[in-house]
Every structure is written in C-alpha cells, then in structure tokens.
DNA sequence: AACACTTCTTAATCTAGGTTAAGTGCTCTT
DNA sequence: AAGAGCACTTAACCTAGATTAAGAAGTGTT
C-alpha cells in the first residue's frame, strides 16, 4: 500500500515535522462499497486520497444516464474539483465501488497547510498539472479514436481496473452504452 | 488589453519588485497570422500568454485530420502542457490564427521564478486547477451532449470567437466535421 | 429455497453524424 | 484579370454506435 506521504514525496520533500503536521490535518476512514461520499448538488468540502479500494466519480444527465468521470484506486486522488475550488454546488457523485480506506482533507485544513507548508503549493500544482495533461489526452482520444481504440487504450492504461470494476462503468468511462460495449467485446474476442 | 501582471493579480499579490523581476524573465513578441510557434514532435520549452490576437493548439491524427484542443485570445494562457512538464516531444501544434502579441516564458525562467517568488507556485496551481475543471466539463459535455448542444454552449461561452475564427476550427473543437457543422448551422438558423 | 435485483448478452431497428463529391464564392498572387 | 487555393455549402449515401426489448446468469436477502 502506498501511503499519502510517499505520494507527496514523489514531488516534494517534507521534513519529519512537516509530515506529522500534514497527517494531523487529515483523517483516514474506512468505507463500505456503495457508500456515496458526495452527491450532485452538494458543495465539495474535501479532497480524497485512496489508500485502498476503488472509488468513482460520475454525473447524471437529464436522461438519467450516468457518465463516469474518474476511477480512483490505491494511490490516487479524487474529488469534485469544480465544486471544491468554486465553493458552489457540484454535479458529481463520488461513490465507493469496492470497500475502501480513504484519507480525507478538508478545504480549511488544506488552506492552512498551504500557509504552514508552502511546498505543498508546489505539490498540488504538479498534481493538477499532471491531471490536466491526462484530461487533455482523454479529450483528444474521445475526439479522434473509435470506441474500440479507446477501450484498448483503457486496458493498457488501467489493466487492474478491468477485472475489478463492473463493465458498465468502463463502458461509461470510454463513452459508449453497455449494450454496445458488450457487442464490441464479443467482436474483439473473436478477432484475437 | 489585459496585461499579464493583471492576470496574475487576480489570484496572488506581487510587490513592485516582484512584478519587475517577473517581467524581466519574460519576452514579449509580435507574430503574424499563420505562424507556427510549436510543432508536433518538438519539445515545448515555453509557456505562452496572449496579449492580443488569437492562437490555437491542435493535433493531427493518422488520418491527417486536425483536432483543436484550445483557442486562446487576449488574457489566456496556452502551450503544450504534456511536453512542457515531461520534457518529451509533444504532439500538439501551436498556431497563430490572428496577428498576435504573445508573452513567452521559458521553462528555465519559470523554474527560477518559482524559486524567487514562491507565490507563483500558488498562482500556477490555481491556473492549472481552473484549467482542469474546464477540461473536465468539456469531457463530460462530449460524453453527454449532442453536437448541437455543444455548439450552443460554445457560443455562450466564447461569443467573440465565433465571428473571428474560421468555422471549420470551431467544428473541430466541438468534435464534428466541417460538413456536418455547416448542415447543423443551417438547421439552427431555420429553427430560430 | 425463493425472491428481487443487478449485470451482462443478443438481436432487431434506428439515427446522429461521417464520407464522398461537386459546386460556389472568396481572397490572395502574379 | 486570371488563376490557384481556401472556406463554406449542399446533397446523396453510409456506418458507428444508440435504442429498445427480451432473456440469461449471477448475487444477495429473507
């Protein structure tokens, strides 16, 4: 299991004291599968780091159709960035897909941490930049690749998720209906 | 015209000295329309802020089809974030669409600025977070809205661009072919 | 053990948007 | 002023993926 301190150490070096201060501003909690940590319409007051288990963020549009924005498993950050930074009600749900242990940082605590450990500005800057890059890539993929190519990319990028996550969620992530996903998968199995 | 210092002042307060230091690490240049500031395969060594004019970033896939990632006009930042932060060759082109004046910051200078003015870590963190949010929204829009809805959203979000940018680029941005875009536009005109 | 509930599959039918191709007007060269 | 080259349009035809509907198989609850 990768700890949150190791995750931070990838980009900035905290002293022993800073590490303790950081941890003192976080809370670690277990959650059962199917728990909803955040609902559409609520204001996101926390950021989440996954110690173990799997979470997903998604929205629901007019047609009552879910769209998966993100999966997060061990060592990933997740939340509703829009609501978190704007302070306005968001439109994302945050759900536990597989029993999880999650590190929670409230916005207040994060603001205090920025004051007390300025290095964390750098850490979260780098985190946001990396996330931005992967969103840009996914956006371009959605514009230029077929569903089949997006699925293959997903497989090579997140091999562990394929076994663990219901395939309707993967269909949603790559942007097709579960029915079409099923058909496509059958086609791929025949081909190879 | 919004200056780069005003842009920074939106999120962090720099002293007079810091402002001067910052400007000393930038270079402001005019570019003619059609200039390519960055090509696919090159390593992005700079970040760009647009004083005036319009730029676009796009990639070209196997089929020789362009996909617009971004437009940037007065007061916007643009670049190839992937290549810039990874130091690897990127796959974006950066092109001037309308004669422009651009502020250029090299990666080296940006790194030095982070050392000398730690507040800038915060500024660029906030910039990255905001950009992340708008990419997430665009991603969800591409998954859940029709081409027509995406076009309407584009119009209300970037009203000035519609007059100034060739419509084939707007078609590409919202993710349809120029032919379909033309058809859709005619349909909308009839309707309203 | 039986029930409800959810996930996944299959298949027929439909449609948003793509492709191909031809034509119209621009603007920019020379 | 004649041509070359873009940007845009129109229209016929095509397809990736959606929709609808039904059934199969698994999973958890009582």
């Amino acid at each position: 299991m990768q700890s949150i301190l190791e995750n931070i150490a990838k980009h900035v070096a905290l002293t022993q004291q800073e590490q303790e201060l950081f941890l003192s501003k976080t809370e670690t909690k277990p959650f059962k599968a199917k728990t909803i940590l955040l609902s559409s319409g609520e204001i996101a007051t926390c950021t989440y780091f996954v110690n173990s288990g799997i979470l997903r963020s998604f929205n629901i549009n007019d047609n009552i159709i879910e769209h998966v924005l993100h999966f997060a498993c061990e060592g990933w950050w997740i939340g509703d960035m829009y609501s978190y930074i704007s302070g306005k009600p968001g439109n994302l749900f945050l759900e536990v897909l597989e029993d999880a242990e999650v590190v929670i940082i409230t916005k207040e605590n994060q603001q205090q941490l920025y004051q007390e450990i300025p290095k964390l500005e750098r850490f979260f800057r780098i985190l946001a930049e990396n996330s931005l890059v992967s969103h840009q890539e996914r956006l371009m993929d959605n514009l230029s690749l077929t569903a089949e190519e997006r699925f293959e990319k997903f497989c090579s990028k997140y091999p562990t998720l394929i076994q663990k996550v219901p395939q309707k969620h993967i269909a949603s992530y790559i942007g097709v209906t579960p029915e079409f996903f099923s058909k496509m998968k059958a086609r791929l199995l025949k081909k190879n």
Side-chain angles (χ1 to χ4, degrees), chain A:
Chain A
M1 193 182 90
Q2 197 209 37
S3 78
I4 198 168
L5 291 176
E6 289 166 41
N7 188 267
I8 292 172
K10 281 181 183 178
H11 298 300
V12 302
L14 297 190
T15 66
Q16 186 66 33
Q17 285 167 11
E18 286 167 339
Q19 292 188 9
E20 279 159 24
L21 175 60
F22 181 85
L23 287 181
S24 77
K25 302 273 186 184
T26 71
E27 194 180 1
T28 303
K29 279 190 184 170
F31 292 102
K32 284 281 171 206
K34 296 186 185 174
T35 310
I36 301 287
L37 297 189
L38 183 70
S39 286
S40 173
E42 293 178 6
I43 295 173
T45 58
C46 303
T47 293
Y48 306 87
F49 175 87
V50 181
N51 270 341
S52 66
I54 304 177
L55 310 202
R56 73 189 255 250
S57 62
F58 64 100
N59 76 9
I60 297 184
N61 74 359
D62 315 332
N63 315 317
I64 318 169
I65 293 175
E66 291 180 13
H67 290 281
V68 174
L69 176 58
H70 261 311
F71 296 109
C73 44
E74 198 179 313
W76 286 77
W77 294 82
I78 194 166
D80 180 343
M81 179 67 93
Y82 165 73
S83 175
Y84 187 78
I85 69 179
S86 71
K88 296 177 191 163
N91 47 26
L92 291 182
F93 293 83
L94 195 55
E95 183 198 28
V96 179
L97 288 182
E98 203 179 69
D99 292 2
E101 189 183 76
V102 178
V103 182
I104 300 171
I105 308 178
T106 66
K107 192 168 174 175
E108 292 159 55
N109 280 341
Q110 184 156 28
Q111 297 299 343
Q112 286 174 29
L113 283 166
Y114 283 142
Q115 300 303 130
E116 292 160 357
I117 315 177
K119 266 176 287 189
L120 287 176
E121 295 270 9
R122 165 175 292 238
F123 174 72
F124 285 104
R125 170 180 63 79
I126 293 171
L127 208 62
E129 285 173 353
N130 287 334
S131 184
L132 178 54
V133 165
S134 73
H135 277 79
Q136 286 186 349
E137 188 183 348
R138 193 170 155 209
L139 193 53
M140 293 312 251
D141 286 351
N142 281 340
L143 292 178
S144 62
L145 303 183
T146 63
E148 213 167 297
E149 291 168 326
R150 274 176 273 144
F151 176 47
E152 275 162 4
K153 204 157 176 180
F154 183 90
C155 291
S156 58
K157 221 167 172 179
Y158 308 109
T160 56
L161 280 178
I162 300 155
Q163 281 86 2
K164 294 186 177 174
V165 172
Q167 67 171 260
K168 62 173 183 168
H169 294 330
I170 296 174
S172 170
Y173 183 93
I174 69 170
V176 297
T177 60
E179 295 85 354
F180 181 76
F181 188 89
S182 181
K183 185 160 76 174
M184 182 175 77
K185 217 183 57 174
R187 200 168 57 208
L188 283 172
L189 282 174
K190 252 181 229 164
K191 223 200 291 182
N192 305 327

